[in-house]
């Protein structure tokens, strides 16, 4: 349905914006930590929620005349392969915070679990959604902290990952999409003329998986290359980072993570108002204490540990 495709296209555009902002933050090119800032974290969760809600809606729309198993299994195989590729790629780039169960993993599993609710009584679907949303609050236990069970989301110690979308509570949003689509099924409007902007969004939505897989390597790689060439940092900031990175690498850390940590120190030094003194090599005793604290925080962050 064009409206669903357009909604998915809008979600993928929002995800590109988030990831580009995350990349800028990772390389220390903007003065905000996108990975931890509350507003950005809410934005990221809204994007993930939109995708999962649309998974539920799409399951209902695709099965109105019965489940077409061949297209379903083909799409599922593509999702599983893409999720595995994300895990492998992030393992090499971010070994301490790789994506072991992210949005694609959740979409693949939710697509299978959701089949059980396509014909279930609506009150049961609603009850399951509520239980899935509340599960982390009353089922969390230390046993679920084992790496093999972290995909459930019932942990007591949050895992470190650059993208973590476990079954609970996120499957609740898929169930909400199933419930909403089933309630609205009898009142779905007939297809109408679609304006050009909506058609463009619908095209993005139909190709959202391909866009998801290629946009981040392109953005991240481009920024990495531009920064390495010195094209996107002021001379003083570039000089600080380039002198910081070798010292970090000498401690057996990955270069890309060292660049993130050094960028973090630079960004936080500016936020604390000590950048001018640091740049001039004239930190006071108090400023030195602030700098040491910032360095400890940045070099022990989840991207560096």
């Amino acid at each position: 349905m064009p409206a669903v495709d357009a909604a998915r296209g809008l979600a993928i555009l929002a995800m590109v914006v988030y990831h580009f902002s995350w990349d800028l933050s990772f390389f220390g090119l903007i003065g905000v930590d996108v990975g931890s800032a509350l507003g950005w974290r809410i934005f990221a969760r809204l994007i993930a929620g939109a995708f999962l809600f649309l998974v539920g809606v799409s399951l209902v729309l695709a099965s109105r005349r019965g489940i077409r198993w061949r297209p379903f299994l083909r799409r599922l195989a593509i999702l599983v392969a893409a999720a595995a590729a994300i895990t492998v790629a992030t393992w090499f780039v971010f070994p301490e915070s790789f994506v072991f169960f992210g949005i694609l993993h959740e979409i693949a599993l939710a697509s299978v679990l959701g089949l059980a609710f396509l014909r279930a009584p609506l009150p049961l679907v609603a009850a399951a959604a509520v239980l899935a949303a509340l599960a982390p609050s009353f089922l969390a236990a230390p046993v679920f902290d084992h790496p093999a069970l972290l995909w459930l989301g019932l942990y007591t110690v949050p895992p470190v990952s650059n993208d973590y979308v476990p079954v609970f509570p996120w499957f609740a949003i898929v169930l909400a999409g199933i419930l909403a689509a089933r309630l609205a099924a009898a009142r779905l409007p007939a297809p109408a003329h679609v304006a050009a902007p909506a058609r463009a969004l619908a095209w993005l939505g139909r190709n959202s998986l391909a866009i998801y897989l290629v946009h981040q390597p392109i953005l991240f790689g481009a920024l990495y290359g531009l920064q390495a060439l010195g094209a996107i940092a002021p001379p003083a900031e570039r000089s600080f980072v380039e002198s910081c990175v070798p010292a970090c690498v000498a401690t057996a850390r990955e270069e890309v993570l060292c660049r993130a940590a050094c960028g973090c120190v630079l960004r936080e030094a500016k936020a604390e108002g000590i950048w001018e003194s640091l740049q001039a090599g004239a930190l006071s005793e108090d400023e030195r204490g602030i700098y040491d604290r910032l360095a400890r925080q940045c070099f022990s962050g989840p991207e560096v540990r």
Side-chain angles (χ1 to χ4, degrees), residues 163-260:
D163 182 27
Y164 180 50
V165 188
V167 174
F168 302 111
W170 290 98
F171 186 55
I173 301 179
V174 178
L175 291 173
I178 291 174
L179 184 63
R182 288 182 58 186
L183 288 171
R187 296 183 292 276
L188 288 175
H193 174 71
V194 181
R199 289 199 300 272
L201 285 175
W203 183 88
L204 292 174
R206 289 191 297 272
N207 295 278
S208 58
L209 179 58
I211 295 170
Y212 178 85
L213 291 174
V214 304
H215 80 278
Q216 183 64 322
I218 292 173
L219 295 174
F220 191 92
L223 287 175
Y224 183 85
L226 289 171
Q227 190 177 64
L229 293 172
I232 55 175
E237 297 179 11
R238 182 170 68 249
S239 176
F240 173 81
V241 173
E242 293 305 324
S243 64
C244 169
V245 169
C248 173
V249 171
T251 64
R253 293 185 173 106
E254 298 286 341
E255 180 180 350
V256 67
L257 301 182
C258 286
R259 287 191 174 276

Side-chain angles (χ1 to χ4, degrees), residues 281-294:
L283 291 173
S284 67
E285 184 176 347
D286 289 342
E287 289 174 333
R288 170 60 62 180
I290 294 173
Y291 176 79
D292 290 343
R293 172 176 57 80
L294 297 179

Side-chain angles (χ1 to χ4, degrees), residues 63-302:
S63 63
R64 283 180 294 182
R65 296 182 177 84
I67 300 172
R68 299 166 58 206
W69 287 107
R70 180 172 294 181
F72 175 83
L73 293 174
R74 177 178 178 275
R75 176 179 175 276
L76 181 63
I78 293 173
L79 279 171
V80 170
I86 292 292
T87 295
V88 172
T90 56
W91 171 267
F92 284 104
V93 180
F94 308 105
E96 299 297 329
S97 57
F98 73 101
V99 178
F100 61 89
F101 202 85
I103 185 67
L104 290 186
H105 304 72
E106 171 64 6
I107 288 175
L109 182 57
S111 297
V112 176
L113 298 177
L115 297 178
F117 297 91
L118 294 178
R119 300 291 183 268
L122 292 179
L124 177 60
V125 179
V130 172
L131 290 174
L134 297 178
S137 299
F138 59 84
L139 292 180
V143 65
F144 295 113
D145 292 331
H146 191 281
L149 298 176
L150 285 173
W151 59 277
L152 289 170
L154 303 177
Y155 55 83
T156 59
V157 179
V160 176
S161 177
N162 285 331
D163 182 27
Y164 180 50
V165 188
V167 174
F168 302 111
W170 290 98
F171 186 55
I173 301 179
V174 178
L175 291 173
I178 291 174
L179 184 63
R182 288 182 58 186
L183 288 171
R187 296 183 292 276
L188 288 175
H193 174 71
V194 181
R199 289 199 300 272
L201 285 175
W203 183 88
L204 292 174
R206 289 191 297 272
N207 295 278
S208 58
L209 179 58
I211 295 170
Y212 178 85
L213 291 174
V214 304
H215 80 278
Q216 183 64 322
I218 292 173
L219 295 174
F220 191 92
L223 287 175
Y224 183 85
L226 289 171
Q227 190 177 64
L229 293 172
I232 55 175
E237 297 179 11
R238 182 170 68 249
S239 176
F240 173 81
V241 173
E242 293 305 324
S243 64
C244 169
V245 169
C248 173
V249 171
T251 64
R253 293 185 173 106
E254 298 286 341
E255 180 180 350
V256 67
L257 301 182
C258 286
R259 287 191 174 276
C262 292
C264 170
V265 173
L266 173 63
R267 182 172 63 248
E268 295 301 321
K270 287 183 175 181
E272 292 284 350
I274 65 170
W275 167 242
E276 297 299 329
S277 298
L278 177 62
Q279 180 182 355
L283 291 173
S284 67
E285 184 176 347
D286 289 342
E287 289 174 333
R288 170 60 62 180
I290 294 173
Y291 176 79
D292 290 343
R293 172 176 57 80
L294 297 179
R296 286 194 300 271
Q297 291 175 350
C298 288
F299 281 91
S300 63

